[in-house]
């Protein structure tokens, strides 16, 4: 039996899914967006907890790359709404199955939902003891990572976000090429592993990584531990979080998602005029 599925079939499959996403109720989109934010945040919590005591950058990247993809795996298997993946709704718009307005509506609601879910997990971990590992060294690592993300340049945020969401969208489409759980997880796994290893920027992951650092900074014992380690937290601010990282990375994620959607649709789905 032939179980292969062509690129055209994958895109047609997503086109129908994207239409349904765009036309779903606000309540459903918001709740699934919050769920997705929570699940991606859990993946981020796992990576920080696994590597906070390590010094070698290569080892840190490798372990994060191996662990983080399971966050997207949970999102895909549970049908949650992830902003970066939903950039693929562009395919449904190009197929004229939904309007640009309905796509933008979905994006806005999902983005807010993802943010809420990320904040819930970040607040819970920072304020209720999850970061107490090694006398607060997990919190120190979380704040240090958050500050480093706040200090990327605007151009770097756009370009690294662009590359990131090409891989995220490829992961979502590859997951659709399989009908069983194992195949869907494997399909999504490698592209996400690649973007983490390469250090690309994902706006929803950063919603946790940076907000967790900000919430940890508000805990006196964590702030004191950071000072004792010689780490200045002056650049870890809400302003730099929003405008120094989230804004450019989101722009890059949108450009990458829309770009790969258009390219694949143009090559595999556009009907040639005779």
């Amino acid at each position: 039996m032939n179980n292969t599925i062509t690129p055209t079939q994958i895109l047609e499959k997503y086109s129908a899914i994207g239409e349904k996403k765009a036309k779903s109720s606000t309540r459903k989109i918001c709740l699934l967006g919050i769920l997705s934010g929570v699940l991606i945040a859990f993946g981020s919590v796992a990576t920080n907890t696994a590597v906070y005591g390590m010094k070698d950058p290569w080892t840190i990247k490798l372990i994060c790359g191996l662990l983080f993809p399971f966050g997207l795996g949970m999102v895909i298997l549970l049908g949650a709404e992830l902003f970066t993946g939903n950039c693929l709704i562009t395919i449904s718009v190009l197929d004229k199955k939904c309007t640009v307005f309905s796509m933008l509506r979905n994006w806005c609601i999902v983005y807010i939902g993802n943010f809420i879910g990320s904040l819930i997990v970040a607040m819970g971990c920072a304020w209720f003891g999850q970061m107490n590992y090694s006398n607060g060294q997990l919190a120190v690592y979380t704040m240090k990572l958050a500050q480093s993300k706040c200090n990327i340049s605007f151009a770097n945020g756009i370009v690294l976000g662009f590359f990131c969401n090409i891989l995220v969208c490829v992961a979502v489409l590859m997951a659709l090429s399989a009908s069983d759980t194992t195949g869907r997880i494997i399909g999504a796994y490698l592209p996400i592993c690649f973007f983490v290893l390469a250090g690309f920027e994902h706006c929803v992951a950063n919603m946790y990584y940076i907000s967790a650092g900000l919430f940890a900074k508000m805990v006196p014992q964590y702030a004191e531990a950071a000072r004792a380690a010689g780490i200045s937290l002056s650049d870890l601010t809400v302003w730099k979080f929003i405008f120094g990282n989230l804004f450019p990375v989101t722009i890059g994620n949108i450009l990458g998602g829309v770009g790969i959607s258009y390219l694949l649709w143009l090559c595999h789905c556009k009907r040639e005029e005779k």
Side-chain angles (χ1 to χ4, degrees):
M1 183 173 64
N2 187 3
N3 290 322
T4 59
I5 180 171
T6 67
T8 299
Q9 290 172 320
I10 294 172
L11 294 177
E12 288 174 347
K13 191 174 181 179
Y14 188 87
S15 181
I17 292 171
E19 177 186 11
K20 185 177 179 181
K21 286 177 176 287
K23 295 177 179 178
S24 292
S25 69
T26 299
R27 175 177 171 273
K28 180 178 179 180
I29 296 172
C30 185
L31 291 175
L32 290 177
I34 293 172
L35 173 61
S36 188
V38 167
L39 295 175
I40 294 297
F42 284 159
S44 305
V45 172
T47 59
N48 277 0
T49 306
V51 305
Y52 78 90
M54 299 177 181
K55 302 298 182 184
D56 179 54
W58 184 87
T59 305
I60 290 172
K61 281 292 182 185
L62 178 62
I63 292 176
C64 289
L66 293 174
L67 290 177
F68 185 82
F70 289 106
L72 181 65
M74 291 187 291
V75 169
I76 289 173
L77 292 179
L78 295 178
E81 296 278 352
L82 181 65
F83 171 77
T84 46
N86 282 14
C87 288
L88 285 167
I89 297 176
T90 303
I91 295 169
S92 306
V93 173
L94 292 169
D95 264 351
K96 298 181 179 179
K97 291 185 176 179
C98 67
T99 64
V100 172
F101 175 80
S102 62
M103 176 180 71
L104 295 177
R105 166 183 167 271
N106 176 279
W107 286 1
C108 290
I109 298 170
V110 169
Y111 194 89
I112 294 170
N114 290 169
F115 211 158
I116 292 171
S118 300
L119 291 176
I120 290 171
V121 177
M123 191 182 302
C125 289
W127 291 356
F128 294 91
Q130 191 274 332
M131 297 184 187
N132 285 342
Y133 281 72
S134 303
N135 295 318
Q137 290 308 301
L138 173 55
V140 173
Y141 175 83
T142 301
M143 291 183 283
K144 185 178 178 180
L145 176 62
Q147 181 164 257
S148 70
K149 285 183 172 291
C150 286
N151 284 329
I152 65 173
S153 71
F154 196 90
N156 285 6
I158 291 177
V159 174
L160 296 180
F162 177 83
F163 291 150
C164 171
N165 211 28
I166 289 176
L167 288 170
V168 172
C169 290
V170 167
V172 172
L173 293 175
M174 287 178 63
L176 286 178
S177 68
S179 58
D180 63 297
T181 300
T182 302
R184 296 180 73 188
I185 292 293
I186 293 173
Y189 188 89
L190 286 177
I192 303 302
C193 180
F194 289 172
F195 103 63
V196 176
L197 286 173
F200 298 152
E201 294 287 327
H202 187 268
C203 66
V204 180
N206 288 353
M207 289 173 185
Y208 171 81
Y209 282 126
I210 303 177
S211 63
L214 284 166
F215 286 129
K217 183 182 176 182
M218 297 177 188
V219 179
Q221 70 187 72
Y222 295 158
E224 178 59 33
R227 284 191 292 269
I231 299 172
S232 171
L233 301 176
S234 58
D235 290 331
L236 182 54
T237 64
V238 174
W239 177 267
K240 284 209 166 188
F241 172 27
I242 301 298
F243 297 102
N245 183 283
L246 207 54
F247 185 54
V249 169
T250 300
I251 292 173
N253 287 165
I254 291 172
L255 293 175
V258 171
I260 191 66
S261 297
Y262 180 73
L263 173 66
L264 292 173
W265 177 84
L266 186 67
C267 294
H268 296 301
C269 294
K270 184 180 180 182
R271 278 48 171 183
E272 297 291 342
E273 294 184 7
K274 295 182 180 181

